[in-house]
Amino acid sequence: MMKKRIVVLTGAGVSAESGISTFRDSGGLWEKYDISEVATPEAWARNQDLVMEFYNQRRKQLYEVEPNAAHYALVKLEEKFDVQIITQNVDDLHERAGSKNVMHLHGELKKVRSSVDESLVYELDGWELKKGDKCEKGSQLRPHIVWFGEPVPLIPEAANLSSTADIYIIIGTSLNVYPAAGLVSYAPPNCPIYLIDPAMVSVSHIPGVKVIREKAGKGTAQLAEQLLNETS
Ligand code: APR
């Protein structure tokens, strides 16, 4: 029998228990840094050192953290489901946990790309991107990150994938950032939608959503167990 498809949209909260800061919680990254100084094309044009340093620190931290129970629960779901993860996160914790299908909407910390030809993407060796690190066309390499104000190239693919869901799960995102926050509206009518987040995320645009007010580790493990038990 064909496996049912679970589409999962994750945000910073899925990695919070691994020790990676979220963006908009109190003490989050956007309280410590100004978005316009570190995460926009204008910031890159103005001060490459500052932008590189911001992402170098994020990348360095990635080597010090491990996937958590939430990432592993999503891997376990693959025993009985076709699991497709759409993540807003730039960390690689889903992959390191063992998830097979992971789409990174907002880019990947461990990759860098040419600043003149976006098709030239490279795995960075180690955590540090330096001034003078160049692509094969001779331009400075930049973080492979979708900055505020830039298009999100994978959105059409993510919307298509969302429209094929039998079950939709949203984990650890404040749903503040579009177009990612709108993807769930592509889920087919009558597709069960679950949202796992310890905070009161605004869900008025998601009719029928079942809200699980737990941290990702506990909430995802519980939901995965339930879904695996329901499916023979
Ligand atoms: N488990 C689950 N969720 C958690 C946990 C936890 N342990 N801790 C915090 N959260 C939730 C918060 O309640 C919040 O709803 O994670 C969410 C994090 O929201 P944001 O910080 O806004 O992160 P996210 O939604 O992923 O941001 C979207 O914004 O800055 C950009 O490009 C960046 O991809 C990012 C996008």
Side-chain angles (χ1 to χ4, degrees):
M1 213 177 76
M2 280 265 285
K3 284 180 176 173
K4 281 193 176 174
R5 173 168 286 178
I6 301 183
V7 175
V8 189
L9 175 71
T10 65
V14 82
S15 297
E17 287 158 90
S18 294
I20 299 181
S21 288
T22 61
F23 296 98
R24 293 173 186 80
D25 288 305
S26 91
L29 280 172
W30 297 149
E31 223 170 69
K32 300 194 186 107
Y33 299 89
D34 185 342
I35 289 179
S36 65
E37 299 286 330
V38 295
T40 62
E42 293 76 18
W44 178 249
R46 226 171 19 236
N47 193 341
Q48 293 188 353
D49 287 323
L50 185 66
V51 174
M52 273 192 275
E53 174 61 13
F54 175 72
Y55 288 101
N56 281 345
Q57 289 311 317
R58 312 270 78 71
R59 200 178 298 109
K60 192 174 182 188
Q61 185 190 33
L62 202 44
Y63 287 92
E64 294 154 11
V65 300
E66 300 287 342
N68 66 57
H71 300 103
Y72 288 116
L74 295 175
V75 178
K76 187 145 176 49
L77 276 174
E78 292 186 14
E79 287 174 8
K80 290 194 185 165
F81 296 93
D82 164 18
V83 180
Q84 302 282 336
I85 298 176
I86 303 171
T87 187
Q88 298 168 83
N89 298 343
V90 294
D91 67 52
D92 61 351
L93 295 181
H94 286 303
E95 288 91 337
R96 275 158 60 189
S99 282
K100 282 201 207 82
N101 310 303
V102 185
M103 183 191 296
H104 284 273
L105 274 186
H106 294 163
E108 292 173 72
L109 263 182
K110 287 192 173 167
K111 294 183 179 170
V112 292
R113 72 169 187 258
S114 161
S115 43
V116 293
D117 179 349
E118 62 184 36
S119 71
L120 298 176
V121 178
Y122 309 84
E123 290 275 340
L124 188 63
D125 227 358
W127 62 271
E128 196 176 15
L129 175 63
K130 298 194 194 82
K131 206 155 196 172
D133 290 346
K134 297 206 166 99
C135 77
E136 64 212 56
K137 291 188 175 170
S139 84
Q140 172 67 43
L141 289 168
R142 57 163 273 181
H144 184 49
I145 300 285
V146 176
W147 286 322
F148 287 91
E150 293 188 317
V152 186
L154 287 173
I155 276 292
E157 208 178 309
N160 267 335
L161 199 55
S162 297
S163 72
T164 65
D166 296 304
I167 299 171
Y168 211 96
I169 306 176
I170 303 168
I171 308 171
T173 170
S174 63
L175 295 175
N176 267 295
V177 174
Y178 282 80
L183 283 172
V184 63
S185 60
Y186 291 91
N190 303 323
C191 167
I193 301 170
Y194 299 90
L195 181 144
I196 301 168
D197 199 295
M200 289 270 273
V201 176
S202 166
V203 293
S204 51
H205 68 301
I206 318 176
V209 62
K210 300 176 185 67
V211 177
I212 300 169
R213 287 233 4 235
E214 297 283 0
K215 289 186 175 176
K218 186 176 171 197
T220 312
Q222 280 176 356
L223 179 60
E225 197 184 309
Q226 179 195 322
L227 295 172
L228 289 166
N229 284 336
E230 278 169 13
T231 307
S232 48

